[in-house]
Amino acid sequence: MRRKFKIAVLAGVITAAGAIAFSAYGVAEDEGKAAASRKEATDASMAPRVPVAEVIERAITPSSDFTGFLAAPETVELRSRVGGAIHAVSVPEGGLVRKGQRLFQIDPRPFQVALDTAAAQLRQAEVLATQAQADFDRARRLVSTGAVSRKTYDDAVSARSARQAQVQVAKAAVAAARLDLSYAHITAPISGRVDRVLVTEGNLVSGGAAGAATLLTTIVSIDPIHAYFDIDEATYLNAVRQARPDAGGGESSLPVDLGLTTDKGFPYRGLLDFVGNRIDRSTGTIRARAVVPNPDGQLAPGLFARARLATGAERLAILVDDQAVGTDQGKNYVLLVDKDNLAQYRAVELGRMADGLRIINAGLQAGDKIVIKGLVRPGMRVTPDLVPMQPAAVATAGADSAAAAEANTDLAEARQ
């Protein structure tokens, strides 16, 4: 009986000890979970807050950028064809002139006198020619009857031919005098913008050959205007040689966007219309030309210009802020933020700039989020601060540039 009692007491002690141990284990487990939660909260609070943006997917036309210059399709050095005193000047210096507009007037009186003299000599020659014709007719009737000798007849024939030739000479002299009189009125041979006046009213000018004639002013055509630039060999082989006017039996249709040094983007648009006939071996480039509409005359010959040549069809492209791209031993990368807010290293292949953003040719896809800036290492946990990839001001500027290019294209089509 005593033994049974001892066994029962021992069993109770063991049960109580197990209950106490289990309770202590449960408390320790709860405390571990709480500590882990506190650690995670602490880690989250210590994770740096960095700007993170989602990449932009946009339709982009592949293109290459070049530096070139503007040139006038037509340039005229205005010189006088006849010599004389400048009687009047009506040049709108620096302004626009129309073809045929009078710019200079040389004193016409000497040329009018020369014309009157030539006209009088023509009338005299015509009278003598009429007399010679009458003598010839008379000699022809009498020579057959023997009333006049054969020599008299031959002299009448020669005199008639000489007088007819003198009439032709007199007519030519009248035409030359009339032409000189017309040259006294100096007009614009082309439409365009005129330069400053080099010879003012009252001065004597010389005419004749181009080297001896006095230079009065210069005129350059401005609408349309030419943009010249040099294309590298790779771009020529991949895109441009197939666009020659004689390559496919039609006219080139490659669009060229143009911008000046102070322009944001490329507000002007033209068409590639000329490609040179050889590659320059010293530079590995070939000269190309675009025709750009210039109805308002804002593009001036001689200006440096940035040209963007389309080299392919439109395609979807990934664009990121250029400051998000890092460099590691010559390789480009971005820091991708995954679903656990961990920064992941991602190698990328860079393209050109487009509307203030960098085109990513490979390495990213639509929906990816990347770190824009901040001291972040791969594998580090971050606190994302979602921001737009492109500031509103830059996006608006890009839209305005595209709208301007579209408007310029409409002007070109209207002119055609």
Side-chain angles (χ1 to χ4, degrees):
M1 187 72 178
R2 181 185 292 265
R3 185 177 179 181
K4 290 182 178 180
F5 177 75
K6 289 180 179 180
I7 292 173
V9 171
L10 182 59
V13 172
I14 293 173
T15 302
I20 294 172
F22 181 77
S23 177
Y25 175 76
V27 171
E29 184 179 7
D30 292 341
E31 290 180 353
K33 291 181 179 181
S37 299
R38 287 194 299 272
K39 184 176 183 303
E40 290 180 358
T42 302
D43 293 341
S45 63
M46 293 179 63
R49 180 176 292 274
V50 294
V52 174
E54 184 176 348
V55 299
I56 296 176
E57 187 178 34
R58 184 180 299 170
I60 296 294
T61 300
S63 61
S64 298
D65 293 350
F66 307 95
T67 301
F69 62 92
L70 303 181
E74 297 177 295
T75 302
V76 173
E77 291 185 344
L78 193 61
R79 300 175 186 269
S80 176
R81 295 190 180 185
V82 294
I86 297 294
H87 186 67
V89 178
S90 56
V91 177
E93 293 182 304
L96 298 176
V97 295
R98 303 179 309 276
K99 183 178 180 179
Q101 179 178 341
R102 181 178 297 181
L103 303 179
F104 294 90
Q105 173 68 60
I106 295 178
D107 187 0
R109 291 174 297 178
F111 306 103
Q112 184 63 53
V113 171
L115 176 60
D116 294 340
T117 302
Q121 291 174 348
L122 173 60
R123 287 194 295 271
Q124 181 183 14
E126 288 175 342
V127 170
L128 294 176
T130 301
Q131 180 62 41
Q133 182 65 40
D135 293 342
F136 168 76
D137 293 339
R138 188 179 304 110
R140 184 178 58 182
R141 290 195 305 269
L142 296 177
V143 72
S144 59
T145 62
V148 297
S149 66
R150 187 69 183 179
K151 182 179 184 305
T152 302
Y153 171 77
D154 293 340
D155 290 342
V157 173
S158 299
R160 186 191 65 163
S161 300
R163 294 305 182 183
Q164 289 177 345
Q166 288 175 357
V167 170
Q168 297 301 321
V169 171
K171 288 182 178 179
V174 170
R178 186 175 289 112
L179 191 61
D180 287 344
L181 179 60
S182 68
Y183 287 157
H185 308 281
I186 303 175
T187 60
I190 62 172
S191 297
R193 191 176 298 279
V194 66
D195 199 6
R196 66 186 180 91
V197 173
L198 301 178
V199 180
T200 56
E201 183 178 346
N203 287 283
L204 289 171
V205 296
S206 59
T214 303
L215 178 62
L216 304 177
T217 187
T218 58
I219 306 174
V220 295
S221 62
I222 58 172
D223 185 27
I225 199 166
H226 286 165
Y228 288 92
F229 52 95
D230 295 328
I231 299 175
D232 61 275
E233 186 174 347
T235 302
Y236 170 75
L237 293 175
N238 294 331
V240 177
R241 64 174 175 173
Q242 292 85 2
R244 283 183 176 276
D246 57 351
E251 188 176 349
S252 170
S253 59
L254 283 183
V256 178
D257 295 325
L258 199 72
L260 304 181
T261 55
T262 56
D263 290 332
K264 293 183 178 179
F266 299 83
Y268 307 97
R269 168 160 288 195
L271 292 176
L272 188 73
D273 81 319
F274 164 78
V275 180
N277 60 359
R278 64 183 181 275
I279 299 288
D280 187 342
R281 295 183 61 185
S282 61
T283 61
T285 60
I286 188 170
R287 179 60 55 89
R289 182 183 69 198
V291 177
V292 183
N294 187 30
D296 54 2
Q298 295 300 312
L299 300 176
L303 287 173
F304 284 99
R306 298 174 291 109
R308 173 167 291 175
L309 174 66
T311 57
E314 189 177 69
R315 62 178 177 84
L316 290 177
I318 300 297
L319 296 93
V320 302
D321 195 328
D322 208 24
Q323 64 179 334
V325 181
T327 303
D328 180 22
Q329 296 181 354
K331 296 182 179 180
N332 299 303
Y333 70 94
V334 296
L335 292 178
L336 187 71
V337 178
D338 62 13
K339 60 181 181 179
D340 296 326
N341 293 335
L342 295 178
Q344 303 291 341
Y345 178 94
R346 180 68 62 85
V348 294
E349 179 183 337
L350 302 185
R352 64 173 177 86
M353 296 292 293
D355 297 333
L357 296 175
R358 176 68 66 180
I359 296 178
I360 302 299
N361 293 329
L364 293 176
Q365 58 185 0
D368 288 343
K369 295 181 176 64
I370 62 173
V371 177
I372 300 300
K373 58 182 178 180
L375 299 176
V376 181
R377 298 186 307 274
M380 179 184 294
R381 187 180 299 276
V382 298
T383 302
D385 184 11
L386 293 178
V387 296
M389 180 64 73
Q390 188 176 38
V394 177
T396 303
D400 293 343
S401 176
E406 183 177 356
N408 212 281
T409 303
D410 293 340
L411 287 173
E413 293 175 353
R415 287 183 59 81
Q416 293 175 353

